[in-house]
Amino acid sequence: MAGRGKLISVIGDEDTCTGFLLGGIGELNKNRKSNFLVIEKDTSVTEIEETFKAFLARDDIGIILINQFIAEMIRHAIDAHVQSIPAVLEIPSKEHPYDASKDSILRRAKGMFSAEDFR
């Protein structure tokens, strides 16, 4: 990866992945593995979790975007991730709005600051 930046990966519904792919984030690594997973009705939770862990292990990925409703399915795996890179960001989908109270990464970040830090 000398001289190159890191990739953004996406785990999301079809609309989310299509939007990001049209924006140019789609790429295959040297092993022909993509940096996105489109979740469909028949996608198993095991497959989602394995893909998430595979993205965490890749050194060419810097950010993992995941629809929040999908993140809820693998919350234990997301909560277990404590490194800053790759950053895991939960995003809304067309059918499911974002709920900040469910975002464990945001809750962890809020715990790092006190009310006095914002004065």
Side-chain angles (χ1 to χ4, degrees), residues 34-53:
S34 67
N35 63 328
F36 62 93
L37 174 66
V38 178
I39 305 301
E40 297 173 345
K41 292 177 194 167
D42 60 342
T43 306
S44 70
V45 174
T46 303
E47 183 180 356
I48 297 167
E49 186 173 351
E50 287 173 358
T51 300
F52 177 73
K53 289 179 179 179

Side-chain angles (χ1 to χ4, degrees), residues 47-93:
E47 183 180 356
I48 297 167
E49 186 173 351
E50 287 173 358
T51 300
F52 177 73
K53 289 179 179 179
F55 287 166
L56 290 177
R58 286 178 51 175
D59 65 350
D60 62 338
I61 292 179
I63 299 173
I64 299 172
L65 301 175
I66 184 168
N67 286 131
Q68 191 173 50
F69 80 96
I70 297 166
E72 284 295 310
M73 296 178 201
I74 60 165
R75 179 62 60 203
H76 62 280
I78 292 173
D79 289 345
H81 176 63
V82 294
Q83 282 104 6
S84 58
I85 296 180
V88 178
L89 303 174
E90 296 180 23
I91 59 175
S93 67

